[in-house]
Amino acid sequence: MEKVIPNITYTLRHGLCLGCGICQSACPSNAINIVVKDGQFVPKVDETKCKNGKGCHRCHDVCPGLGVDLLSIAKEQFADEGVKTDKWVGRFLKCFTGHSNDEEIRYHCASGGMVSQFLIFLLEKGYIDGAVVTAFDPKNELLVRSYIAHNREEVLQAKSSKYAPVSLHGMAQAIKQENGTKYVIVGLPCHIQGFRKLEAIDRKLREKVIGHFAIYCSSGRTFYLTEHVFKERGIRKEDLIYFAYRDEGCLGSLVAKQQRGIRVANSNSETALYKEDEVYKERYQSYYHPLRSFFIPRRCLFCIDHYGELGDVCFGDIHIKPYMDDKIGVNSLVVRKQEWLDLLEEAQSEGFITLDEIPVETLNASQQMAGKKKGRNERFIVLNKRLGRVMPEYDVPLPDKTGLKTVLDYLQNRAQQFLGRHKSLWWLVSKLKKDTSHYE
């Protein structure tokens, strides 16, 4: 009997949804909408339109929440002469530190502004027609929107890190509808995984996407993190005219610019309403690090891809001296394909960026979560499989045993996630989060 393959509701039912939105782009019947539930993006299936009963299971086929063949896809995609393999990084050609040579971009974009500056170089030189990016949008209830950037201004609207859910739903359709022929996807490892799987079954998309830029990811965050941070600090979404989780230098600060309405009496005892800008700033480490465990989606505990092993170029911070002492901004990056290495070196020769090669060992020493994902998270998968739960499938060898430490660590993470999901318990989050005084 032929095996029946389910639709994306299988992913939801087993708590494996990453909220990436790729399933919506894969559905030929327009049966999937991306909605927000419990602080996360999730797909909602209109069963009256769904053709799964007639043999369509494209949403299931492209879902990165169910896992991905990291090793085989990487081996197929990254086969240039000189490619090396590292346990944590995956297949790569070279690792670098670097930064934008535009001081404004370097200071105000994440770490050293490499992603923004490289995209600007590619667009201005005509190497690409557009790039899928994500920006904060003060007019949006959720403050985030993904779109295709075509020029410098549109790239810079998407600057800086987004510690909130990001969905790329609709982006595949948008690319296919555009007149251009060369596009880059910028996303987290799960976004890149989903696009790789979608491109494998969508020829038109595959022909137009020429690059995948991954952002290192320790784990995702729910919208509740932002809501909690705003609530504790008296920031009102409806008053925001500018917001960034990380601005003004390396690692940087949360910056929230609000426009308040203030009534002021004049000499005739009449009152007038004035608008006044109010700016709140707080160091990134002070507000973010203490909350890292409470607002993480469950599925992120089973992710084993920190660097974005299917990205052509991967970008992130570098948390190790002497780079941590830089106050303006320094990125690290992994290059896996020769054509992108050539373009990065061209961007450097033309003065757009600065690059300095580093050993892969230096990079790994700066990224503690890379080891956790290839160790702790793998053990979490094994633990849950033994409990009879459906887990993501990767083509990597998993540990053959888990210990008491794994059980306790998993229970602690799940308990903290429980508190983060229930707003009525956020008073406990405020009491249990780590002390922040040493981050000031």
Side-chain angles (χ1 to χ4, degrees):
M1 176 181 283
E2 184 178 352
K3 180 181 178 181
V4 176
I5 300 176
N7 63 17
I8 200 67
T9 56
Y10 177 88
T11 300
L12 289 170
R13 187 164 66 251
H14 293 288
L16 297 179
C17 182
L18 289 159
C20 68
I22 309 299
C23 58
Q24 182 267 352
S25 295
C27 180
S29 306
N30 296 317
I32 298 175
N33 288 318
I34 303 300
V35 300
V36 175
K37 182 179 180 181
D38 298 330
Q40 298 175 244
F41 285 119
V42 295
K44 182 178 181 181
V45 180
D46 183 343
E47 297 292 348
T48 65
K49 295 181 179 179
C50 179
K51 298 295 191 296
N52 191 74
K54 296 182 179 180
C56 177
H57 40 78
R58 286 167 63 96
C59 59
H60 183 278
D61 294 344
V62 305
C63 178
L66 298 176
V68 64
D69 291 335
L70 287 174
L71 299 182
S72 62
I73 296 176
K75 186 175 181 180
E76 175 188 341
Q77 293 291 331
F78 312 127
D80 291 311
E81 183 179 352
V83 71
K84 300 175 281 288
T85 301
D86 177 79
K87 181 178 180 181
W88 314 122
V89 171
R91 294 173 73 87
F92 73 102
L93 287 172
K94 291 186 178 182
C95 301
F96 296 94
T97 59
H99 57 78
S100 167
N101 289 342
D102 183 314
E103 291 300 304
E104 282 293 306
I105 292 177
R106 184 181 177 188
Y107 184 67
H108 289 290
C109 297
S111 297
M114 279 292 296
V115 181
S116 297
Q117 187 66 79
F118 190 41
L119 289 176
I120 290 169
F121 163 78
L122 294 170
L123 286 165
E124 292 184 350
K125 297 290 288 187
Y127 290 123
I128 63 173
D129 298 306
V132 171
V133 296
T134 301
F136 276 100
D137 183 359
K139 297 178 182 178
N140 187 321
E141 173 69 17
L142 301 173
L143 302 177
V144 291
R145 65 183 179 95
S146 297
Y147 61 97
I148 300 175
H150 302 92
N151 53 50
R152 176 188 179 95
E153 290 71 27
E154 291 176 352
V155 167
L156 292 179
Q157 287 173 15
K159 68 181 177 64
S160 193
S161 302
K162 315 295 184 301
Y163 296 118
V166 171
S167 172
L168 300 188
H169 64 278
M171 291 299 97
Q173 294 96 319
I175 288 172
K176 290 191 289 185
Q177 290 167 4
E178 290 218 342
N179 293 326
T181 60
K182 299 167 293 185
Y183 294 85
V184 164
I185 307 297
V186 181
L188 300 176
C190 56
H191 296 128
I192 303 304
Q193 293 168 15
F195 262 89
R196 290 288 193 188
K197 295 177 80 171
L198 179 56
E199 289 161 35
I201 62 173
D202 189 326
R203 179 184 56 81
K204 185 175 181 180
L205 180 65
R206 181 170 66 248
E207 290 174 348
K208 298 185 79 168
V209 175
I210 65 168
H212 305 78
F213 293 176
I215 309 300
Y216 308 167
C217 182
S218 58
S219 65
R221 300 294 183 271
T222 72
F223 286 116
Y224 287 165
L225 180 142
T226 305
E227 192 171 333
H228 177 82
V229 168
F230 282 11
K231 182 178 180 181
E232 280 200 328
R233 290 153 182 81
I235 299 171
R236 289 162 46 92
K237 283 194 288 188
E238 54 268 35
D239 293 336
L240 280 177
I241 54 177
Y242 175 78
F243 176 72
Y245 282 109
R246 288 171 58 182
D247 196 351
E248 301 185 355
C250 200
L251 293 186
S253 300
L254 178 152
V255 178
K257 188 175 182 180
Q258 303 174 89
Q259 196 169 70
R260 305 283 201 181
I262 300 175
R263 293 194 176 277
V264 180
N266 59 25
S267 57
N268 297 322
S269 298
E270 297 174 342
T271 60
L273 183 65
Y274 293 90
K275 293 289 187 180
E276 182 175 289
D277 289 349
E278 178 180 294
V279 179
Y280 177 88
K281 296 182 182 181
E282 183 178 346
R283 291 295 296 168
Y284 158 73
Q285 300 101 313
S286 173
Y287 81 88
Y288 180 73
H289 283 192
L291 292 174
R292 286 192 297 180
S293 300
F294 290 98
F295 299 101
I296 295 174
R298 172 181 180 267
R299 173 58 178 83
C300 292
L301 296 178
F302 313 123
C303 175
I304 64 172
D305 184 9
H306 174 74
Y307 285 109
E309 295 179 39
L310 301 185
D312 300 303
V313 190
C314 310
F315 303 83
D317 299 321
I318 180 159
H319 301 298
I320 192 173
K321 286 182 175 293
Y323 310 104
M324 288 175 61
D325 297 328
D326 185 285
K327 302 303 181 185
I328 304 174
V330 178
N331 283 113
S332 65
L333 56 155
V334 178
V335 188
R336 307 184 193 276
K337 220 167 195 174
Q338 186 64 48
E339 62 183 286
W340 292 105
L341 178 58
D342 293 342
L343 287 169
L344 281 161
E345 290 175 344
E346 182 181 336
Q348 176 171 240
S349 69
E350 296 200 12
F352 283 82
I353 61 174
T354 293
L355 289 174
D356 292 298
E357 188 173 357
I358 58 172
V360 69
E361 292 81 9
T362 300
L363 178 62
N364 283 329
S366 77
Q367 300 291 323
Q368 294 182 4
M369 277 306 300
K372 279 193 174 184
K373 286 195 166 189
K374 294 290 190 185
R376 183 200 70 173
N377 287 12
E378 289 180 342
R379 291 191 292 273
F380 285 172
I381 292 174
V382 173
L383 173 64
N384 278 271
K385 280 189 172 184
R386 289 178 177 169
L387 294 172
R389 294 168 180 161
V390 175
M391 286 285 105
E393 297 292 338
Y394 298 104
D395 61 343
V396 300
L398 295 175
D400 56 5
K401 61 181 180 179
T402 59
L404 179 60
K405 184 179 184 303
T406 297
V407 175
L408 295 176
D409 196 3
Y410 181 72
L411 291 174
Q412 179 185 30
N413 275 273
R414 294 295 289 138
Q416 290 174 339
Q417 291 171 359
F418 179 85
L419 295 180
R421 286 199 316 273
H422 295 84
K423 297 182 183 181
S424 62
L425 299 177
W426 282 2
W427 63 275
L428 281 172
V429 173
S430 298
K431 288 184 176 295
L432 294 173
K433 68 182 183 181
K434 297 176 183 177
D435 174 53
T436 65
S437 59
H438 60 294
Y439 289 120
E440 299 297 338

